[in-house]
Amino acid sequence: MKLSQFKIDLPDNLLAKKPTHFRDESRMMVLHRATGEIEHKVFKDVLSYFDKDDVFVFNDTKVFPARLYGNKEKTGAQIEVFLLRELNSQFKLWDVLVDPARKIRIGNKLYFGKDDSLVAEVIDNTTSRGRTLRFLFDGTHEEFKKTLFSMGETPLPKYMDRKPTADDVDRYQTLFAEHEGAVVAPAANLHFSRELLKRMEIYDIHKAFLTVHNGLGNYRDIDVEDLTKHKMESEQMIVPKTCCQIVNAAKDAAKRVCAVGTSTLRAIETASGTEYHLKEYDGWTNKFIFPPYDFVIPTSLITNFHMSKSTLLMMTAAFGGYDHVMNAYSVAIKEKYRFGAYGDALLII
């Protein structure tokens, strides 16, 4: 398929800048992929579409405060530093993005904190905006991470166009976040409240957890029209034995398996084995899913409404069917559904 086939005209006022008051009270569109039928619900209604012993698969990654601001040596110019991943804990090396990048060269030093107490040296260029930083810190790795993260802020997407607040520390994080490593929240997972998770237990609907450390790769612009030529950036993922056991038992019993979020969907497909079973996995994935695509394990998908020409929209269309999903997006715009990480949900069954 072509990139232009995923263009949507999204009004700016439909980009969600803030979350709903309660996690489970976002609107939810339900798309029946066999017929294209659409229903309009509230997210707390989601369990009415599932039965005893069905399974929801969640992403339990934890977002860290990845955006911080430093001053360049000598000039004092403010530089935004976006932490991507730690490369080496012993030498305190980090892969980062810097803005404005033209001012930052190898050998430059950056100072962080009100008293410039944390210093980093640029030791390599990786991409046009990418740099490798070596932080200079006397202390344990645990002390260093605590200091570094105390200077960072919640990495809200740029389209929100605002500074994060204390509320974002909680709301741009799932209730079951456990394994630190994401710079982008697994948005569909944010809708699940404590009450909803408790109701799942009461209804004997099972929970399974895997980990995908969401990076920025899914959100970068695609620069090729022919999608077969697009190369995805890799993301680290872990599918533990317990997750496999829960999912495979559901498949063997012909129960529903719902992927909560596109990151979870991609991870499941990456780790799918023969006989429609999920395999343990600890590594990286650069799997790019777009229509047409035959899914092996998931029978349902919960996701948010994504941006025009995004890989996440393409993955959603692969699962729900291109025509049905693009029609659903047209309806969503007409009905003023909210888009983005803090936006409304789409359940495809």
Side-chain angles (χ1 to χ4, degrees), residues 235-336:
E235 292 179 325
Q236 189 177 11
M237 58 168 278
I238 301 169
V239 181
K241 181 178 181 179
T242 303
C243 179
C244 296
Q245 291 171 334
I246 295 170
V247 170
N248 292 338
K251 291 301 292 185
D252 291 343
K255 294 294 182 178
R256 294 184 185 90
V257 175
C258 180
V260 181
T262 51
S263 61
T264 300
L265 181 67
R266 188 159 74 120
I268 291 174
E269 287 305 304
T270 299
S272 294
T274 57
E275 300 178 1
Y276 298 93
H277 275 189
L278 189 63
K279 301 181 298 183
E280 291 181 65
Y281 191 97
D282 187 348
W284 297 75
T285 179
N286 62 354
K287 193 174 185 67
F288 180 31
I289 297 174
F290 60 93
Y293 184 90
D294 292 325
F295 289 86
V296 175
I297 291 177
T299 60
S300 309
L301 171 67
I302 297 172
T303 188
N304 280 26
F305 287 96
H306 305 295
M307 305 304 170
S308 177
K309 297 182 179 180
S310 68
T311 62
L312 307 182
L313 171 57
M314 295 166 192
M315 203 182 319
T316 303
F319 189 84
Y322 174 81
D323 291 335
H324 289 337
V325 167
M326 297 307 286
N327 177 63
Y329 268 61
S330 296
V331 172
I333 292 172
K334 180 181 177 182
E335 297 294 329
K336 293 182 168 51

Side-chain angles (χ1 to χ4, degrees), residues 48-100:
S48 64
Y49 293 90
F50 295 88
D51 300 315
K52 181 179 182 293
D53 292 331
D54 289 343
V55 172
F56 281 50
V57 187
F58 297 98
N59 182 2
D60 65 5
T61 189
K62 186 175 184 178
V63 178
F64 63 89
R67 182 177 284 118
L68 30 78
Y69 297 90
N71 299 310
K72 186 183 175 186
E73 63 176 334
K74 297 181 181 178
T75 67
Q78 186 182 72
I79 305 296
E80 178 185 308
V81 174
F82 195 97
L83 303 172
L84 296 177
R85 65 182 62 86
E86 188 174 40
L87 300 175
N88 185 296
S89 60
Q90 179 182 355
F91 296 105
K92 302 177 181 65
L93 302 182
W94 277 78
D95 185 18
V96 308
L97 297 176
V98 295
D99 187 24

Side-chain angles (χ1 to χ4, degrees), residues 62-329:
K62 186 175 184 178
V63 178
F64 63 89
R67 182 177 284 118
L68 30 78
Y69 297 90
N71 299 310
K72 186 183 175 186
E73 63 176 334
K74 297 181 181 178
T75 67
Q78 186 182 72
I79 305 296
E80 178 185 308
V81 174
F82 195 97
L83 303 172
L84 296 177
R85 65 182 62 86
E86 188 174 40
L87 300 175
N88 185 296
S89 60
Q90 179 182 355
F91 296 105
K92 302 177 181 65
L93 302 182
W94 277 78
D95 185 18
V96 308
L97 297 176
V98 295
D99 187 24
R102 67 183 184 279
K103 295 183 178 182
I104 304 302
R105 297 181 174 87
I106 294 174
N108 288 159
K109 285 188 172 65
L110 300 175
Y111 296 86
F112 303 92
K114 293 180 181 179
D115 56 356
D116 293 341
S117 58
L118 183 62
V119 184
E121 182 181 8
V122 181
I123 64 170
D124 196 12
N125 296 331
T126 53
T127 62
S128 59
R129 290 180 55 217
R131 302 290 186 272
T132 301
L133 297 187
R134 178 174 61 214
F135 286 90
L136 310 177
F137 183 88
D138 291 327
T140 66
H141 182 255
E142 184 177 326
E143 292 170 337
F144 164 65
K145 291 284 287 288
K146 183 177 180 179
T147 299
L148 179 65
F149 288 174
S150 72
M151 296 177 181
E153 64 181 30
T154 302
L156 295 180
K158 287 284 191 181
Y159 63 76
M160 290 190 187
D161 194 27
R162 66 176 178 85
K163 294 288 289 183
T165 66
D167 288 342
D168 293 307
V169 174
D170 173 60
R171 293 301 301 274
Y172 198 66
Q173 193 81 271
T174 68
L175 293 178
F176 39 79
E178 184 176 355
H179 303 291
E180 181 184 280
V183 298
V184 178
N189 295 256
L190 299 177
H191 295 289
F192 285 83
S193 64
R194 287 180 175 83
E195 293 76 13
L196 195 53
L197 293 169
K198 186 63 179 178
R199 282 172 52 206
M200 290 180 67
E201 294 179 16
I202 294 170
Y203 296 167
D204 287 327
I205 296 173
H206 304 301
K207 297 186 287 287
F209 296 93
L210 51 75
T211 307
V212 182
H213 292 316
N214 297 343
L216 296 178
N218 284 316
Y219 306 90
R220 293 204 169 108
D221 291 339
I222 297 177
D223 56 8
V224 292
E225 175 68 4
D226 182 355
L227 296 183
T228 62
K229 297 180 180 178
H230 176 63
K231 304 298 182 187
M232 290 287 291
E233 292 185 22
S234 294
E235 292 179 325
Q236 189 177 11
M237 58 168 278
I238 301 169
V239 181
K241 181 178 181 179
T242 303
C243 179
C244 296
Q245 291 171 334
I246 295 170
V247 170
N248 292 338
K251 291 301 292 185
D252 291 343
K255 294 294 182 178
R256 294 184 185 90
V257 175
C258 180
V260 181
T262 51
S263 61
T264 300
L265 181 67
R266 188 159 74 120
I268 291 174
E269 287 305 304
T270 299
S272 294
T274 57
E275 300 178 1
Y276 298 93
H277 275 189
L278 189 63
K279 301 181 298 183
E280 291 181 65
Y281 191 97
D282 187 348
W284 297 75
T285 179
N286 62 354
K287 193 174 185 67
F288 180 31
I289 297 174
F290 60 93
Y293 184 90
D294 292 325
F295 289 86
V296 175
I297 291 177
T299 60
S300 309
L301 171 67
I302 297 172
T303 188
N304 280 26
F305 287 96
H306 305 295
M307 305 304 170
S308 177
K309 297 182 179 180
S310 68
T311 62
L312 307 182
L313 171 57
M314 295 166 192
M315 203 182 319
T316 303
F319 189 84
Y322 174 81
D323 291 335
H324 289 337
V325 167
M326 297 307 286
N327 177 63
Y329 268 61

